[in-house]
Amino acid sequence: MRFEGTSNYVATEDLRIAVNAAVTLQRPLLVKGEPGTGKTVLAQEIANALDAPLIEWNIKSTTKAQQGLYEYDAVSRLRDSQLGDERVKDIANYIRRGKVWEAFESPKRPVLLIDEIDKADIEFPNDLLQELDRMEFHVYETGQLVKAKQRPIILITSNNEKELPDAFLRRCFFHYIQFPDEQTMRDIVEVHYPGIKNRLLNQALSIFYSVRDVSGLKKKPSTSELLDWIKLLLNEDIDLETLRETDPTKTIPPLHGALLKNEQDVHLFQRLAFMARGQR
């Protein structure tokens, strides 16, 4: 089982090496990178390439590690006992399986995505260490031992919002997705918009990278935002000459709402355009 990328996902050589190394070592693959660089999509494409089921666990600020294993619904059991429901006699009826349990019991080796782990509490990664190491855990309410039928391929993503504990990092294979260079980005765009005119793509990429290079940006546009912007350019049939006249240091790009996602950055470009007009 080797990951070589897919027709829908441009994987650089270092990313392919990282995925296959993690699979060989049977270690979780921890992927970091700017938001919008395809970390989450990578899990979907690994699953597609290896013909494996994908199990997604999307982490929120309130998510606890225990929820990935199982949850005991004591409230429902109490309610049912008050109603005289026979189900209360078996506590197993109130055990809700989590995504890790689902991955452990999958009949086919799955890809388990633990998405945006840095959103959770700082103790969250440590609380999963033993279960991900041993590939088993106990359900204390029933005494059941849940053991993985086969070790899942685990992909963990992080946007670097919090530092992860050293003990957790030691157990992962780490890869940082560098922001794509212009040639890689060209390949990515052509996967999504095959047959796009070369002159339009050249000009769009030139503007996009110029926008990213503007000093003082609060949020640089990402790959996903470039794809949205190009979709709009194609849909609105923006004239190539209009794009050629666009210099991010002198005028705000057309349909800039796809690229600039906060008012500070829009105001920055407006100021740059105002200053440029004053120098004419």
Side-chain angles (χ1 to χ4, degrees):
M1 296 174 66
R2 289 190 62 81
F3 176 68
E4 300 294 345
T6 70
S7 59
N8 297 318
Y9 188 90
V10 177
T12 58
E13 183 180 3
D14 58 339
L15 179 56
R16 294 195 299 269
I17 290 172
V19 171
N20 292 316
V23 172
T24 299
L25 293 173
Q26 297 189 333
R27 297 275 191 182
L29 174 61
L30 174 61
V31 179
K32 293 186 178 183
E34 286 185 33
T37 50
K39 300 185 296 295
T40 302
V41 177
L42 174 61
Q44 299 165 353
E45 295 304 325
I46 292 173
N48 290 338
L50 303 182
D51 191 25
L54 175 63
I55 298 171
E56 299 184 61
W57 185 13
N58 299 302
I59 308 303
K60 301 177 182 179
S61 60
T62 56
T63 303
K64 302 299 180 185
Q66 180 65 33
Q67 294 172 308
L69 307 179
Y70 70 92
E71 291 182 275
Y72 168 47
D73 191 352
V75 174
S76 292
R77 192 182 188 205
L78 176 61
R79 182 195 62 225
D80 288 349
S81 68
Q82 293 170 338
L83 296 173
D85 194 322
E86 288 295 314
R87 296 173 71 250
V88 300
K89 295 179 180 179
D90 185 358
I91 196 172
N93 290 324
Y94 302 93
I95 300 295
R96 296 181 178 176
R97 299 183 181 191
K99 296 297 184 180
V100 175
W101 188 339
E102 186 181 336
F104 281 8
E105 293 208 331
S106 174
K108 191 173 183 180
R109 188 184 191 188
V111 174
L112 172 62
L113 170 63
I114 304 176
D115 200 22
E116 298 189 332
I117 193 173
D118 51 323
K119 282 187 175 180
D121 183 85
I122 189 62
E123 291 304 317
F124 179 94
N126 282 335
D127 291 344
L128 280 178
L129 282 179
Q130 180 170 306
E131 288 76 12
L132 295 184
D133 255 358
R134 297 184 179 179
M135 288 285 121
E136 64 181 33
F137 64 88
H138 280 91
V139 181
Y140 297 105
E141 289 79 1
T142 63
Q144 179 183 1
L145 174 65
V146 178
K147 194 166 185 175
K149 294 182 178 179
Q150 58 242 318
R151 184 176 286 267
I153 299 167
I154 302 174
L155 178 67
I156 302 170
T157 71
S158 169
N159 288 327
N160 263 345
E161 291 183 11
K162 292 190 186 83
E163 288 295 323
L164 299 175
D166 288 346
F168 183 79
L169 294 174
R170 282 198 301 271
R171 289 165 169 81
C172 297
F173 190 93
F174 172 75
H175 180 73
Y176 185 87
I177 296 182
Q178 298 288 346
F179 195 81
D181 59 26
E182 191 164 332
Q183 182 55 55
T184 303
M185 190 66 83
R186 181 183 298 275
D187 295 339
I188 292 171
V189 172
E190 289 178 347
V191 163
H192 289 81
Y193 304 108
I196 185 172
K197 292 180 180 178
N198 202 45
R199 289 186 298 170
L200 174 62
L201 179 55
N202 289 342
Q203 196 61 36
L205 289 177
S206 175
I207 294 171
F208 173 75
Y209 281 101
S210 296
V211 168
R212 282 183 56 86
D213 287 342
V214 169
S215 178
L217 272 186
K218 184 176 181 181
K219 182 192 178 305
K220 295 182 178 182
S222 67
T223 304
S224 62
E225 286 151 349
L226 170 65
L227 294 174
D228 285 347
W229 186 53
I230 289 179
K231 181 177 182 178
L232 289 174
L233 294 178
L234 293 170
N235 187 66
E236 298 297 327
D237 198 22
I238 297 296
D239 186 76
L240 184 59
E241 294 305 317
T242 302
L243 286 181
R244 282 179 175 163
E245 294 171 2
T246 300
D247 179 347
T249 63
K250 296 179 181 178
T251 183
I252 196 163
L255 302 167
H256 61 271
L259 298 175
L260 306 176
K261 295 303 176 76
N262 59 68
E263 63 276 15
Q264 295 97 316
D265 290 343
V266 173
H267 291 160
L268 171 61
F269 276 82
Q270 289 172 339
R271 287 197 302 273
L272 290 173
F274 178 78
M275 292 168 60
R277 285 196 297 270
Q279 294 171 0
R280 290 177 183 173

